[in-house]
Amino acid sequence: MWEKKSDEDLMASYLDGDVRAFEEILSRHRRGVYAFILRFAHNRDTAEELLQDVFMRVVDKAETFEKRSKFTTWLYTITRNLCIDHLRKMRHRKATSLDQPMAAGDSEGMTLLDKIGSDRPLPDNSAHSKKLGELIAAAVEKLSPEQREVFVLREQSGLAFNEIASVVDAPLNTVKSRMRYALENLRANLQSMGVEP
Amino acid sequence: MDCRAAQDMLVDLLYDELDNATSKQLQEHLAKCSKCAAEYEQMGKVLKLVRDNPLEEPSREVTGRILHTASVAARQRAERKKSSPAWWKRLILNPAFAGAVVIVVVATVALVSVVPQKNAPESKAVAITPQTPEPAPFAKDTQVQDETIPEGSIPIQSENNKDSGVAKNISHGRKMPVSSKSTARLEKNLSPVKGGMSGIKTMDSENSGLLSDHGNAGLDRMRHQQAAGGSAQGRSKQRRSKQHRSKQSEQRRAEKTSRHLAKVMKTGAVTEVPGTTTTTKTDKSAALYPSVESVMKAAENKKRQAPEKVAAQAVVKPVSKVSRGGEGPRDLLQEKQAPKFKKNKARAIGGNVSSSDDLDMAPQPSVQADGSMQKPEVRSTSRADVSSAPTPFASVQAEEEQVQDEKRENKSGPRLKRKSFQSAGQYLYERAKSLFRSGDCKAAISAIDKALKANPHHPMAADALFDKASCLIKSGRFSKAIGTYKRIENEYPQRAKEAHRQLLRISP
């Protein structure tokens, strides 16, 4: 029943008091939103916190959502704004968090806490010792923020280019060219990590 | 298609967002250009690699927390909806809306009360129409006249028709009852009225001059009301009561209009007032204002109703310089100006008139033997009593004496407004105190002595003596200060302890 409904209709149902409609929305978008956040937050815990914040804001602002506008555009605009706010806060803090990953080039996905707390030798940098997914994630993280967000929104969140253009507030052609450069750079990054696509 | 254009469209081709023609062109180019084809192939491989690796999922805990929050919010929203009043209740409870409603209501009431005065004929027409029976637009004029209008009234109506075209409208408005039964019933119901229908017609003839388009509007309204109305009997009762009401309202209107005319005359716009000039009954402007006769009549009524006011007016000399105006409003003008004249007269005889136009005397308190002031008895404040109203000479004299005293002493200390004090005694003490505060010890001692002499038992007397003692100490006259404190001890036992303490302080 819910699968056939559009996001906008589901939001209307949720506003009428049907929580199952919101559950459907969450199941549809949680992966995409989480993937997008993860490319900014670099940390799963922070990403989950931000994911919760995003959907809390959706709940809070549900009454302000206009049915005529696209839900995904609205949702990812909220997500992007929260991610930017988070990055700003982190920049102002300037203190190195133990939870934060170390420099991307040195040890992808590894936090300072992991490094300090472990007596074991540093993990091998070779591609064979790591899962392919982590490598891809590391390659994506190396992209410039503009290319990364377009790539993630298109490939992992499943937004159309025109929706991405609305979310990132950039012209459609710019979005497409960013995507093209993102794919080129991603291939280069993967190759530098020893992964041949 | 060149390589640059092809490379720009590679992403579109990957995501299948090109139209068929462009897609075909691009594929043709890729078939020819190995460089572009290789790039396209690499992009596809990267995408395949990314898509083959499943996305990371957030933990179930987070999902559960989000769902819990959403359900709580939904419940709260539902409760809010239930508890919150309906939109119209919220609107009513909104203070801004309530304020707006109040303003609109006040404005409407004001308009309703003002418009009928200006458009007097409209209400006149309403007053006239009750005599008109139920209209029947399909009836022929000749039939109507034959059936409904008694013979006696016909000449008058014809006169009306001669006098004004508006009257025609009235007769047209009376294309009434088709059946003779209803006419007979109507006549029967109206029989107690003197003259029956003819009497009513006479009244119509009186009022016809005041009818205008507004009157027609009123007629139409009444016709409509009558069409929806009940029996002829009920209607006749309504008409009688309306006649009575219309007479009353006419009187009121005439009074109001006379006042308005007087106001207009004052501003010099007399020539614009049709009531002051001879106007034909068909004149539209005449419809806006009552005739001269009605104004005069209203003035006479007013005179009859308030003979004492007229008596007061009799004292007033006629105003020599009257602004441009006709005969009618002049009396009203004099009546309006009379208070001013009386006011001047009251001033001339030594009285004090309040700043308003009201002639009520504001009696000043008179100074009594003990220095306190007593308000003179307030007498009747009717205008007739103005000329014989007692002048509060005593209070005026007391004030003058105080002013002269001040002048004589040529005090440089702070000046106080005498009228702000309840009595002269208090004024003297307050003045002494202010002098003491200003630091002028010599003047303060003098003022205190004067106040004590005038009213030694005043509640402020002991304080004044303390002030005097302080002044004496400041001046280095300790022996006199000691004497003052001793005086306080003796004469004011309630303050004796305080005085004793001060004595102990300054005693050697």
Side-chain angles (χ1 to χ4, degrees):
Chain A
M1 177 193 168
W2 298 110
E3 289 78 23
K4 290 175 186 175
K5 279 196 170 185
S6 68
D7 292 338
E8 292 75 26
D9 290 338
L10 289 171
M11 274 301 284
S13 300
Y14 172 62
L15 277 172
D16 290 339
D18 198 336
V19 186
R20 282 176 300 170
F22 188 83
E23 201 177 337
E24 176 64 23
I25 288 172
L26 187 64
S27 70
R28 281 184 195 180
H29 296 287
R30 66 192 171 107
R31 285 187 201 89
V33 172
Y34 181 70
F36 182 81
I37 294 168
L38 203 58
R39 300 293 161 254
F40 281 92
H42 309 290
N43 182 284
R44 284 188 186 125
D45 293 334
T46 311
E48 285 187 352
E49 276 177 28
L50 282 171
L51 177 73
Q52 194 174 329
D53 290 348
V54 166
F55 281 98
M56 294 269 272
R57 192 165 285 191
V58 168
V59 167
D60 287 344
K61 305 281 178 184
E63 283 165 338
T64 64
F65 173 69
E66 294 174 6
K67 203 181 170 184
R68 62 186 173 189
S69 55
K70 186 90 176 156
F71 176 76
T72 45
T73 312
W74 183 62
L75 174 68
Y76 280 95
T77 306
I78 290 172
T79 309
R80 186 171 178 265
N81 290 341
L82 279 172
C83 287
I84 290 168
D85 289 346
H86 171 73
L87 287 175
R88 279 182 188 153
K89 275 182 203 166
M90 297 309 292
R91 255 179 231 151
H92 282 297
R93 207 173 279 173
K94 283 185 180 176
T96 309
S97 170
L98 291 175
D99 287 337
Q100 268 200 297
M102 294 168 70
D106 296 335
S107 54
E108 287 85 7
M110 195 172 178
T111 63
L112 192 60
L113 187 66
D114 294 335
K115 192 177 176 181
I116 296 166
S118 176
D119 294 331
R120 291 176 293 172
L122 284 172
D124 191 2
N125 278 348
S126 68
H128 301 289
S129 63
K130 292 185 180 177
K131 289 179 184 176
L132 189 61
E134 286 176 357
L135 284 171
I136 292 169
V140 171
E141 276 180 21
K142 279 185 178 179
L143 295 172
S144 70
E146 292 86 7
Q147 291 172 19
R148 190 167 65 221
E149 72 178 354
V150 171
F151 176 80
V152 171
L153 285 170
R154 178 74 223 201
E155 274 306 308
Q156 298 186 332
S157 305
L159 266 68
F161 282 122
N162 57 352
E163 288 174 358
I164 295 168
S166 298
V167 171
V168 302
D169 196 23
L172 183 61
N173 286 333
T174 307
V175 169
K176 283 179 180 174
S177 62
R178 279 178 191 171
M179 185 68 189
R180 184 186 147 210
Y181 290 122
L183 289 171
E184 284 177 4
N185 291 329
L186 190 61
R187 182 170 60 87
N189 292 339
L190 286 169
Q191 279 176 342
S192 68
M193 288 175 191
V195 179
E196 279 296 323
Chain B
M1 186 179 281
D2 60 349
C3 286
R4 192 171 177 173
Q7 283 173 0
D8 283 344
M9 285 189 286
L10 286 178
V11 172
D12 294 313
L13 190 66
L14 271 175
Y15 289 98
D16 199 19
E17 289 192 359
L18 285 174
D19 57 88
N20 290 335
T22 316
S23 177
K24 202 176 177 182
Q25 280 181 355
L26 185 58
Q27 280 173 351
E28 283 172 3
H29 175 79
L30 290 175
K32 289 175 196 169
C33 180
S34 57
K35 194 187 166 191
C36 290
E39 194 175 339
Y40 178 69
E41 194 183 347
Q42 289 297 322
M43 279 182 179
K45 281 182 181 176
V46 171
L47 280 179
K48 190 173 180 298
L49 187 70
V50 171
R51 286 170 187 171
D52 284 345
N53 285 280
L55 288 172
E56 288 179 74
E57 282 196 23
S59 64
R60 286 183 181 177
E61 289 173 9
V62 177
T63 313
R65 280 203 297 269
I66 292 166
L67 278 174
H68 175 71
T69 310
S71 61
V72 168
R75 213 180 306 133
Q76 285 175 346
R77 205 175 287 124
E79 282 170 11
R80 263 208 312 274
K81 272 186 184 176
K82 277 182 186 175
S83 60
S84 66
W87 65 269
W88 57 270
K89 280 185 184 172
R90 269 181 281 155
L91 199 66
I92 289 166
L93 292 171
N94 187 358
F97 177 76
V101 165
V102 167
I103 289 166
V104 167
V105 167
V106 168
T108 312
V109 168
L111 268 175
V112 165
S113 60
V114 168
V115 167
Q117 291 174 29
K118 287 186 178 176
N119 303 331
E122 188 178 354
S123 51
K124 288 228 179 251
V126 173
I128 293 159
T129 45
Q131 286 95 48
T132 63
E134 212 171 343
F138 45 82
K140 287 180 184 176
D141 284 354
T142 50
Q143 280 181 342
V144 167
Q145 282 186 1
D146 290 345
E147 282 180 12
T148 59
I149 300 167
E151 286 179 10
S153 64
I154 289 168
I156 298 162
Q157 189 179 350
S158 63
E159 195 182 322
N160 283 343
N161 290 340
K162 270 182 202 170
D163 286 342
S164 68
V166 181
K168 281 179 188 174
N169 288 332
I170 299 167
S171 64
H172 181 72
R174 281 196 200 140
K175 286 180 190 171
M176 12 191 153
V178 184
S179 67
S180 57
K181 276 184 186 175
S182 62
T183 314
R185 213 167 38 228
L186 188 69
E187 280 187 342
K188 194 181 173 184
N189 290 330
L190 288 172
S191 58
V193 181
K194 195 181 175 181
M197 287 292 279
S198 60
I200 295 161
K201 286 303 292 177
T202 313
M203 186 182 162
D204 281 354
S205 69
E206 281 173 11
N207 294 326
S208 62
L210 297 166
L211 283 168
S212 66
D213 292 341
H214 300 286
N216 291 336
L219 278 169
D220 290 337
R221 203 165 54 225
M222 279 307 295
R223 257 184 252 137
H224 180 71
Q225 285 172 2
Q226 283 173 355
S231 64
Q233 192 175 355
R235 282 199 296 275
S236 67
K237 278 182 184 174
Q238 280 182 348
R239 276 173 214 136
R240 262 175 271 150
S241 64
K242 276 183 182 176
Q243 278 175 15
H244 181 65
R245 278 204 299 272
S246 68
K247 275 181 187 175
Q248 285 181 337
S249 65
E250 193 185 350
Q251 272 187 354
R252 280 199 298 273
R253 263 199 311 281
E255 285 171 21
K256 280 180 186 175
T257 318
S258 62
R259 282 199 294 274
H260 171 71
L261 278 170
K263 214 180 269 182
V264 172
M265 292 283 286
K266 260 190 173 178
T267 56
V270 181
T271 49
E272 290 174 17
V273 181
T276 56
T277 55
T278 311
T279 54
T280 59
K281 288 182 178 181
T282 52
D283 191 2
K284 274 195 177 181
S285 60
L288 293 171
Y289 297 96
S291 63
V292 178
E293 289 86 354
S294 64
V295 173
M296 292 291 285
K297 210 180 278 178
E300 281 171 14
N301 283 339
K302 210 171 185 182
K303 279 179 187 174
R304 274 200 298 276
Q305 283 166 5
E308 65 278 326
K309 287 183 186 175
V310 178
Q313 284 167 18
V315 180
V316 180
K317 277 202 295 185
V319 181
S320 57
K321 192 179 178 182
V322 180
S323 59
R324 290 166 296 156
E327 288 296 316
R330 200 175 290 156
D331 289 340
L332 294 167
L333 186 67
Q334 284 174 359
E335 189 183 22
K336 196 78 181 173
Q337 285 180 345
K340 199 176 177 183
F341 176 78
K342 285 181 208 167
K343 192 173 163 183
N344 293 334
K345 188 175 180 180
R347 280 209 186 103
I349 60 171
N352 191 3
V353 181
S354 60
S355 59
S356 66
D357 278 345
D358 191 358
L359 283 171
D360 294 351
M361 298 291 283
Q364 296 296 313
S366 59
V367 181
Q368 299 300 304
D370 60 352
S372 65
M373 290 189 121
Q374 191 179 12
K375 282 187 178 180
E377 187 186 342
V378 179
R379 289 187 50 170
S380 167
T381 55
S382 68
R383 292 185 181 189
D385 292 337
V386 170
S387 57
S388 60
T391 53
F393 285 114
S395 63
V396 173
Q397 281 172 354
E399 280 182 17
E400 280 174 0
E401 276 174 18
Q402 282 178 6
V403 172
Q404 281 171 2
D405 284 352
E406 279 175 23
K407 280 181 184 172
R408 242 180 274 134
E409 286 165 10
N410 196 19
K411 302 289 184 214
S412 59
R415 299 184 72 81
L416 300 170
K417 288 181 179 176
R418 291 184 305 278
K419 284 179 183 177
S420 62
F421 300 109
Q422 288 177 348
S423 67
Q426 194 195 352
Y427 163 70
L428 290 170
Y429 279 108
E430 289 287 351
R431 196 168 165 276
K433 197 160 197 170
S434 63
L435 283 167
F436 169 70
R437 280 178 190 153
S438 71
D440 189 352
C441 282
K442 199 178 173 184
I445 290 166
S446 171
I448 289 165
D449 285 341
K450 196 173 177 181
L452 286 167
K453 196 177 175 184
N455 191 359
H457 302 296
H458 194 273
M460 291 174 77
D463 282 334
L465 277 171
F466 275 108
D467 291 346
K468 186 187 174 184
S470 298
C471 284
L472 289 167
I473 291 165
K474 278 183 193 171
S475 311
R477 293 147 76 182
F478 291 100
S479 58
K480 284 206 171 184
I482 290 166
T484 308
Y485 283 128
K486 281 183 178 173
R487 185 183 167 188
I488 296 168
E489 272 188 321
N490 294 331
E491 292 179 15
Y492 305 97
Q494 290 175 341
R495 310 290 297 274
K497 280 185 181 177
E498 200 181 335
H500 186 69
R501 275 201 300 274
Q502 295 294 335
L503 268 174
L504 290 174
R505 271 180 61 200
I506 60 167
S507 294

